[in-house]
């Protein structure tokens, strides 16, 4: 400092002013950054959780906050470019009008779409059923794809191409999610590389830098002591197992590999059983849910149950599958760290593949062309006159049911269990104890919901708004659950590795979402009775239609960029 002060004496007035201005600017930016931190959502709540339960559990709530923000941005994107132009037209703002092009070379039967809106006297429970299933009055709202049956909106003298805007907004929200997740993953990946270095380095990290100085609660401090001791024990156990593996005879190796193959066959059989059940239930639900008489309470309740059958079966599979996987992994004799990773990856595959099987089941019904059902529309128009809205309704039901289950488990399972364990000295109850707040299970739960949102947004543009509200409420449900009905896990996971793992699984979910959305856009014929793409064979055809209006040289460049020879290597990069 003395050296710098001496230097300043010999500087010119201009350089002195520049140096003073630079310092002032840094100070202003620092103050602004400090003030902006007060605007961060749930800042105090997350700091409080971090101080009481440590950084591992705090990383889950920070991840939940990230998803709330991500869904809110996606909602703003879809609302601004898809929903807002239709609102401007409906209310005649800026002297706006709508341009609808009459369908060309399309059979009249393909253009018939009569949503089952409520007519005449409607009972309250019918509205409740519609709210839960996305049918009735809700099917006719901006929530679903079928509402946006507009070719263009004239806002004053500007022609707004809604089909192109719809497609570009879809690409934009998927690209935004991809880049944002990758950006957040980089930091966690660097930390993960440090922690996965040689055993001696990780041992030193635990001994000399393992303490979490955010903890202020004595119980949390005891928990952290236990956590560090557990990690050191696991490291020693891992070294012992590595030595044991190295000393195995050929006979022992053959035995353990045979057992692992047998257990993996069981796992594949369980997964196949889950997938087949979802497929059969989805087909049954789609065939039966449309054949019911409304305004009869017993029929309506039965119809609601039939509509929710796929969601119920998927939820049961997501609950039972991981329990079986956790039991079977004990017999495979893996290292503790790999044991946790393999179980989690099996659970991730089960949850995300269940959504894929549901969509495959729907597509198999939509594309069921036996007995010329698809003629002349290219899809099963009798059962699915507006198939995009039907897929949107399925995603909507999955999201609503997932939220209901999370709320019900907290209120009607965990809370009564807490009361019984606290106020009853019965030995079996005390042996069961309080349920653990398992970070990995909770993360898989919300990633499953986020994958549904990514897939469903193309078919239901306002689904991100529902997801934002859902995760906002889930934050408080989980906070209540953590503080009042559950206890932190005895075997916690490290915050740095958990953040990277959360984002990795979220990235897998996003990549899975690319497939159904891409197939729907590029492969399946778009509905001819509803939606902005009814005048195109597929949703993608709006792009070449626009490009054909450009100059010839620009057309050649753009078509070259859209070719497989250019697009596939770019996608791989």
């Amino acid at each position: 400092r003395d050296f710098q002060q001496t230097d300043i004496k010999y500087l010119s007035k201009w350089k002195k002013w520049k140096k003073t201005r630079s310092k002032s600017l840094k100070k202003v930016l620092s103050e602004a950054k400090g003030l902006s931190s007060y605007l961060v959502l749930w800042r105090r709540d997350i700091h409080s959780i971090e101080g009481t339960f440590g950084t591992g559990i705090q990383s889950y709530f920070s991840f939940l906050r990230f998803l709330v923000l991500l869904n809110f941005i996606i909602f703003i994107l879809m609302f601004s470019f898809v929903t807002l132009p239709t609102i401007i037209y409906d209310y005649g703002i800026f002297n706006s009008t709508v341009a609808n092009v009459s369908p060309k070379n399309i059979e009249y039967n393909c253009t018939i779409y009569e949503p089952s809106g409520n007519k005449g006297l409607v009972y309250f429970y019918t509205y409740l059923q519609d709210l839960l299933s996305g049918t009735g009055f809700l099917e006719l709202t901006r929530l679903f794809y079928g509402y946006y049956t507009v070719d263009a909106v004239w806002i004053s003298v500007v022609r707004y191409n809604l089909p192109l805007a719809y497609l570009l907004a879809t690409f934009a929200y998927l690209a935004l999610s991809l880049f944002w997740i990758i950006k957040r993953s980089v930091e966690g990946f660097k930390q993960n590389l440090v922690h996965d270095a040689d055993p001696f380095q990780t041992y030193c990290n635990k001994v000399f830098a393992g303490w979490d100085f955010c903890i202020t609660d004595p119980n949390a401090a005891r928990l952290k002591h236990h956590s560090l001791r557990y990690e050191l024990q696991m490291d020693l156990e891992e070294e012992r197992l590595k030595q044991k593996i190295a000393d195995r005879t050929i006979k022992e190796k053959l035995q353990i590999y045979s057992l692992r193959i047998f257990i993996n066959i069981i796992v594949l059989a369980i997964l196949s059983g889950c997938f087949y059940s979802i497929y059969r239930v989805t087909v049954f639900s789609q065939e039966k849910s449309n054949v019911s008489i409304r305004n009869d309470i017993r029929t309506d309740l039965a119809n609601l149950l039939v509509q929710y059958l796929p969601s119920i079966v998927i939820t049961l599979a997501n609950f039972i599958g991981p329990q079986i996987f956790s039991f079977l992994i004990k017999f495979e004799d893996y290292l503790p760290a790999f044991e946790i990773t393999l179980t989690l990856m099996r659970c991730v595959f089960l949850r995300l593949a269940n959504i894929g099987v549901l969509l495959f089941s729907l597509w198999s019904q939509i594309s069921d062309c036996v007995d010329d059902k698809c003629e002349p529309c290219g899809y099963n128009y009798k059962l699915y006159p507006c198939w995009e809205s039907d897929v949107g309704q399925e995603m909507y039901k999955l999201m609503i049911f997932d939220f209901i289950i999370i709320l019900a488990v907290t209120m009607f399972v965990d809370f009564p269990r807490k009361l019984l364990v606290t106020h009853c000295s019965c030995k079996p109850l005390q042996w069961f104890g309080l349920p653990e707040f398992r970070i990995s299970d909770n993360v898989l739960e919300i990633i499953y919901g986020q994958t549904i949102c990514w897939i469903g947004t193309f078919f239901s543009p306002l689904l991100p708004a529902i997801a934002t509200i859902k995760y906002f409420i889930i934050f408080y449900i989980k906070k209540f659950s953590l503080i009042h009905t559950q206890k932190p896990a005895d075997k916690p996971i490290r915050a740095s590795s958990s953040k990277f793992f959360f984002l990795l699984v979220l990235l897998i979910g996003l990549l899975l979402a690319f497939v159904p959305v891409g197939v729907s856009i590029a492969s399946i014929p778009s509905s001819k009775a509803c939606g902005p793409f009814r005048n195109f064979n597929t949703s993608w055809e709006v792009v070449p239609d626009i490009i054909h209006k450009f100059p010839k040289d620009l057309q050649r460049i753009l078509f070259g960029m859209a070719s497989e020879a250019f697009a596939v290597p770019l996608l791989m990069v």
Side-chain angles (χ1 to χ4, degrees), residues 222-415:
R222 278 195 293 274
L223 188 73
K224 186 64 182 176
H225 274 291
H226 178 78
S227 165
L228 284 170
R229 187 170 68 250
Y230 165 75
E231 283 193 34
L232 291 170
Q233 284 173 343
M234 284 300 100
D235 287 343
L236 292 169
E237 178 68 11
E238 202 160 300
E239 290 301 315
R240 189 187 66 78
L241 285 171
K242 281 178 183 175
Q243 189 60 47
K244 182 185 168 185
I245 289 165
D247 296 339
R248 274 180 188 158
T249 62
I250 294 172
K251 185 183 175 182
E252 287 173 336
K253 285 180 182 178
L254 283 171
Q255 283 177 343
I256 194 68
Y257 290 143
S258 303
L259 183 62
R260 285 175 185 174
I261 290 167
F262 177 68
I263 288 172
N264 278 292
I265 290 168
I266 294 172
V267 169
L268 287 172
I270 292 165
L271 291 171
S272 303
C274 290
F275 299 158
Y276 182 73
S277 303
I278 292 164
Y279 175 78
R280 294 305 311 162
V281 161
T282 305
V283 171
F284 175 80
S285 172
Q286 292 297 305
E287 288 175 350
K288 301 293 181 186
S289 61
N290 295 321
V291 217
S292 68
I293 305 163
R294 293 179 71 81
N295 291 342
D296 173 32
I297 189 164
R298 283 177 298 182
T299 310
D300 282 354
L301 287 173
N303 189 39
L304 185 64
L305 182 63
V306 167
Q307 288 180 350
Y308 264 90
L309 268 179
S311 302
I312 292 166
V313 171
I314 287 173
T315 303
L316 284 172
N318 290 343
F319 175 73
I320 295 167
Q323 307 296 328
I324 298 171
F325 297 156
S326 298
F327 174 73
L328 290 175
I329 197 77
K330 294 172 186 174
F331 300 100
E332 294 185 77
D333 201 18
Y334 287 116
L335 295 173
F338 184 73
E339 193 176 291
I340 293 166
T341 305
L342 182 61
T343 307
L344 287 174
M345 291 315 293
R346 282 172 178 171
C347 295
V348 168
F349 181 76
L350 174 68
R351 280 181 176 270
L352 300 184
N354 282 344
I355 303 171
V357 172
L358 172 70
L359 290 166
F360 171 78
S361 310
L362 288 170
W363 285 334
S364 67
Q365 290 290 98
I366 293 162
S367 307
D368 182 12
C369 296
V370 180
D371 302 326
D372 296 328
K373 288 179 187 175
C374 299
E375 294 295 335
C377 309
Y379 58 94
N380 191 345
Y381 69 95
K382 290 180 180 176
L383 193 59
Y384 301 97
C386 183
W387 66 263
E388 291 93 344
S389 285
D390 287 309
V391 175
Q393 285 168 354
E394 287 301 323
M395 297 296 104
Y396 172 82
K397 282 184 281 190
L398 277 176
M399 183 164 283
I400 296 296
F401 192 70
D402 183 50
F403 175 70
I404 290 169
I405 290 297
I406 291 169
L407 184 62
V409 166
T410 303
M411 292 293 108
F412 305 115
V413 178
D414 291 345
F415 189 62

Side-chain angles (χ1 to χ4, degrees), residues 396-531:
Y396 172 82
K397 282 184 281 190
L398 277 176
M399 183 164 283
I400 296 296
F401 192 70
D402 183 50
F403 175 70
I404 290 169
I405 290 297
I406 291 169
L407 184 62
V409 166
T410 303
M411 292 293 108
F412 305 115
V413 178
D414 291 345
F415 189 62
R417 183 173 167 180
K418 158 80 174 180
L419 293 175
L420 288 170
V421 169
T422 308
H423 301 291
C424 181
S425 57
C426 181
K427 282 189 178 180
L429 285 173
Q430 294 301 320
W431 182 76
F432 274 108
L434 294 175
E436 288 188 346
F437 188 88
R438 295 182 184 276
I439 299 172
S440 53
D441 292 349
N442 282 291
V443 166
L444 293 183
E445 201 173 64
I446 59 173
I447 289 174
Y448 163 77
Q450 185 57 39
T451 307
I452 292 167
C453 179
W454 277 323
I455 295 170
T457 301
F458 177 72
F459 309 102
S460 176
L462 297 184
L463 202 61
I466 298 170
T468 304
I469 296 164
K470 173 189 164 183
Y471 288 135
F472 189 87
I473 297 169
I474 283 175
F475 180 90
Y476 291 102
I477 292 172
K478 292 297 179 183
K479 185 186 172 188
F480 171 83
S481 183
L482 175 65
I483 295 170
H484 298 291
T485 68
Q486 295 184 340
K487 62 177 182 179
D490 291 330
K491 299 175 182 179
I493 56 177
R494 194 191 297 117
S496 57
S497 60
S498 65
K499 283 176 188 173
F500 177 65
F501 175 74
F502 298 166
L503 291 164
L504 178 66
V505 177
L506 190 63
L507 191 61
I508 293 168
L510 178 61
L511 295 176
L512 174 76
F514 282 171
V515 177
V517 174
V519 169
S520 300
I521 289 170
S523 180
I524 303 178
S526 53
S527 297
K528 304 299 180 283
C530 70

Side-chain angles (χ1 to χ4, degrees), residues 191-227:
Q191 291 176 348
N192 218 35
L193 283 176
V194 171
H195 282 287
D196 290 343
D198 65 278
F200 182 72
Q201 186 178 342
T202 56
Y203 172 76
C204 290
N205 284 341
K206 287 185 183 75
V207 172
F208 296 110
W211 187 251
D212 188 346
F213 286 93
C214 295
I215 293 173
T216 55
D217 183 70
N219 291 325
R222 278 195 293 274
L223 188 73
K224 186 64 182 176
H225 274 291
H226 178 78
S227 165

